[in-house]
Amino acid sequence: MIKQLHFSDFIDDFHKFVVVQKPQLLELLDQYINICELIPVNWYFHYNKATGRPHDNSLDSIVSTLLLQKLLSIPTIGLLITFLSFSKELRDFCGLNTVPDASFYSRFKQDYCDDIEAFFHKLVDITEPICQEIGQALEKELGINPAEVYIMDTTGIECYVKENNPKFFNALVKKLQYLNKDKSKEDIYKMAYNQMPKTASVDPNIKLQYINGTFCYAHKTIAVSNALGVLRHMDFCDFKPDFNYDTDNSEPASPEEVKLTWDGKLLIPAMENFFERHHDFNIYAMTADSGFDDVPNYQYLFENHGILPVIALNPRNTRQDFGKPGINENGIPTCPKDPSLPMKWDGSCKGKNRSFRNKFICPKTKKLPGGKYVCSCEDKCTTSDCGRMFYTYPKDNYRAHTPIPRDTEQWNQIADFRHIIEQVISRLKLPLQLGNLRARDRKTIKADFFMAGAAHLITVLLAYRMGAIDKIRSVKSIAA
């Protein structure tokens, strides 16, 4: 039999968490984090001139409560207010004179969402030297500086709107089943998807999206981390890509295709926003999933910023004329006499007044010490003892001939970092509560989005200052 939860049990657990475990988190924050030095100066100006009379609480106090909400995984503002009302320790830690009400927090997020975004980007600048220090220490072991390898992915922040209620979609399905009794279940669901409104009724910026295998109405966002699992950029995607939803009787575009169209158009504007705020960051390579497999993305990263693109191929973007004879589906030259044998990458070169190019050698050629090549093929396709050599020029087709050839050891090493951004997004949505927002206002959601990112970077800063760099990814491991 399940034991009923009593209010007295809740109070006992809350007292144990806040008072008994206080030294494990609150005192660490009090000892190592000075919130005043982290808040941008302009935010103080905006906050103090917003009203003609003094505020009941300082900006530091309000920001501290919002950070604690994320760090302690408190899902709602109402519950945060309850905790603050019950706990003198929390009020003293935040420096509150009075406990703000829910309407104050709502106005605060809407009035200062841009300042919260600036707060996040200041923390990015503060934590970059930490990432470089950790990355350089790992470079000898990994052969690459993980702080200079960036990973990008998109996600959606689901909104509290009626269209996200399962009853909304089920009612549409039942209506179509009644009107189309001769249709199969699969056809009914396709028709239902086609007839679902493309935006939420309360806000056209809340769009129908396909996220984690399901439909939802959400704000599209983008997250960029380095290979250490530390956020480097977050962006709200406020523009609409150039694609059309089918509204006639033809078969609608699949949800996967809609998602891929979104993702492929987001890399360049997101990185433009990043470099506008962080001019001096060094990025060696950027990896992303096949959703970003769009030719302009390769060209933008490599030509404009010297970043090596490591993006998985999307089969939907691969036409039959993708490769000429002797080039496989990964853009790797193959043996002229045996297309099943890919040639071996022998490095990259760029002479004076010559384009960057990749060199490939015969799969049966060995490079001896001293730089000499010996080909063991019995049926050579060239008279040279070195065997056949071939050059590809990424500038001709960055997608087909990537600066780091696909499926090489270096390519695979960088591509293997892609799972890290999924872990980062998962932490944002679960421990930092981005996945449990009960809001529909765009500015409120944007404020929560960047506040979660700020809490993530506060964890990094706290772990570094207390000498626990192995715990930079999770506040729970620090408080344990």
Side-chain angles (χ1 to χ4, degrees):
M1 184 176 179
I2 300 176
K3 181 181 177 182
Q4 184 176 0
L5 179 64
H6 294 284
F7 185 72
S8 59
D9 296 330
F10 166 78
I11 293 298
D12 291 340
D13 291 341
F14 175 76
H15 182 270
K16 177 181 177 182
F17 178 76
V18 174
V19 179
V20 177
Q21 294 189 0
K22 178 184 175 182
Q24 298 176 335
L25 181 58
L26 298 187
E27 288 192 0
L28 288 175
L29 290 170
D30 190 41
Q31 181 178 356
Y32 294 105
I33 301 298
N34 181 4
I35 196 67
C36 300
E37 68 180 12
L38 305 179
I39 297 177
V41 175
N42 285 339
W43 195 359
Y44 284 107
F45 294 154
H46 298 160
Y47 183 74
N48 290 324
K49 76 175 184 179
T51 179
R53 56 187 175 81
H55 290 282
D56 293 336
N57 295 292
S58 67
L59 177 61
D60 304 340
S61 301
I62 303 300
V63 173
S64 296
T65 62
L66 291 174
L67 286 173
L68 276 182
Q69 180 195 2
K70 302 300 182 184
L71 295 174
L72 298 179
S73 300
I74 301 173
T76 65
I77 286 293
L79 193 57
L80 172 65
I81 293 172
T82 300
F83 280 9
L84 292 172
S85 300
F86 274 100
S87 173
K88 184 177 183 300
E89 289 80 6
L90 283 180
R91 293 197 300 273
D92 291 343
F93 172 80
C94 296
L96 290 176
N97 296 319
T98 61
V99 177
D101 57 20
S103 62
F104 172 86
Y105 279 112
S106 179
R107 293 192 304 271
F108 182 87
K109 292 177 181 179
Q110 293 177 20
D111 291 343
Y112 305 111
C113 67
D114 291 336
D115 291 296
I116 295 175
E117 181 179 1
F119 176 46
F120 166 78
H121 285 291
K122 181 175 181 180
L123 287 171
V124 171
D125 288 330
I126 291 173
T127 54
E128 178 62 14
I130 298 174
C131 293
Q132 289 296 331
E133 180 180 335
I134 299 173
Q136 290 168 9
L138 295 172
E139 187 171 4
K140 291 183 179 179
E141 177 184 347
L142 300 176
I144 190 173
N145 185 346
E148 296 180 356
V149 176
Y150 281 30
I151 314 108
M152 176 179 288
D153 201 3
T154 59
T155 188
I157 307 301
E158 191 170 344
C159 303
Y160 190 62
V161 294
K162 69 176 184 179
E163 289 85 356
N164 277 330
N165 190 326
K167 294 179 180 179
F168 183 86
F169 181 74
N170 292 337
L172 183 58
V173 169
K174 289 181 179 180
K175 177 182 176 181
L176 291 171
Q177 285 176 335
Y178 177 77
L179 297 175
N180 301 273
K181 296 180 180 180
D182 58 329
K183 298 287 186 180
S184 66
K185 185 176 181 180
E186 181 180 355
D187 290 337
I188 292 295
Y189 273 83
K190 285 183 178 180
M191 293 170 64
Y193 166 72
N194 194 31
Q195 293 188 18
M196 289 175 70
K198 307 312 174 189
T199 62
S201 58
V202 296
D203 186 355
N205 291 312
I206 304 174
K207 298 180 176 65
L208 174 63
Q209 299 180 37
Y210 189 71
I211 299 173
N212 297 330
T214 186
F215 296 109
C216 70
Y217 289 81
H219 284 290
K220 193 78 169 181
T221 61
I222 200 161
V224 181
S225 80
N226 57 28
L228 296 171
V230 179
L231 276 173
R232 297 293 80 195
H233 186 61
M234 300 172 74
D235 220 335
F236 240 61
C237 306
D238 295 326
F239 74 101
K240 182 177 180 180
D242 186 17
F243 69 94
N244 295 317
Y245 290 103
D246 293 322
T247 56
D248 54 16
N249 294 327
S250 60
E251 183 178 354
S254 70
E256 293 89 348
E257 290 173 348
V258 173
K259 179 183 184 303
L260 290 172
T261 305
W262 264 104
D263 290 2
K265 305 299 182 184
L266 294 179
L267 185 146
I268 294 176
M271 293 307 295
E272 286 289 324
N273 290 340
F274 172 81
F275 285 115
E276 183 180 349
R277 293 177 177 271
H278 313 288
H279 310 284
D280 303 326
F281 280 32
N282 295 322
I283 306 177
Y284 172 70
M286 172 169 282
T287 183
D289 61 26
S290 59
F292 295 91
D293 180 29
D294 196 19
V295 174
N297 292 340
Y298 295 87
Q299 185 174 358
Y300 171 81
L301 291 174
F302 189 68
E303 283 193 356
N304 293 19
H305 298 286
I307 301 172
L308 299 176
V310 180
I311 302 174
L313 276 176
N314 175 13
R316 294 181 179 85
N317 293 343
T318 304
R319 302 180 179 87
Q320 293 182 353
D321 60 350
F322 169 77
K324 58 186 179 181
I327 303 291
N328 67 14
E329 68 277 5
N330 287 327
I332 305 296
T334 59
C335 174
K337 295 188 176 182
D338 186 356
S340 65
L341 290 177
M343 299 181 74
K344 294 191 296 186
W345 182 48
D346 192 42
S348 305
C349 51
K350 181 180 180 181
K352 186 177 181 181
N353 298 324
R354 299 192 66 179
S355 299
F356 179 90
R357 62 193 188 277
N358 285 311
K359 179 181 179 181
F360 294 87
I361 60 177
C362 173
K364 296 184 179 181
T365 295
K366 291 184 178 181
K367 188 175 182 180
L368 303 178
K372 185 177 180 180
Y373 295 88
V374 176
C375 182
S376 60
C377 182
E378 297 179 356
D379 186 18
K380 295 181 181 179
C381 52
T382 178
T383 57
S384 173
D385 293 336
C386 299
R388 183 66 180 269
M389 295 186 180
F390 188 81
Y391 292 89
T392 61
Y393 294 82
K395 189 174 182 179
D396 295 338
N397 188 335
Y398 282 106
R399 181 171 178 266
H401 310 301
T402 50
I404 301 177
R406 299 179 189 276
D407 208 29
T408 59
E409 182 179 353
Q410 186 178 3
W411 173 280
N412 291 333
Q413 181 189 21
I414 296 174
D416 285 344
F417 290 127
R418 278 206 303 267
H419 71 281
I420 293 175
I421 190 64
E422 300 289 348
Q423 296 173 352
V424 172
I425 292 175
S426 177
R427 293 189 188 97
L428 288 174
K429 288 195 171 185
L430 297 178
L432 297 178
Q433 296 299 311
L434 269 186
N436 297 317
L437 295 182
R438 297 180 68 86
R440 61 176 64 93
D441 179 75
R442 179 184 172 278
K443 289 186 176 181
T444 301
I445 294 175
K446 182 178 179 181
D448 275 303
F449 177 66
F450 284 105
M451 189 59 74
H456 167 88
L457 296 179
I458 289 288
T459 302
V460 175
L461 193 60
L462 175 61
Y464 175 78
R465 289 181 175 177
M466 61 183 287
I469 59 174
D470 58 320
K471 299 179 179 180
I472 60 174
R473 297 186 183 186
S474 175
V475 69
K476 291 184 178 180
S477 62
I478 296 176

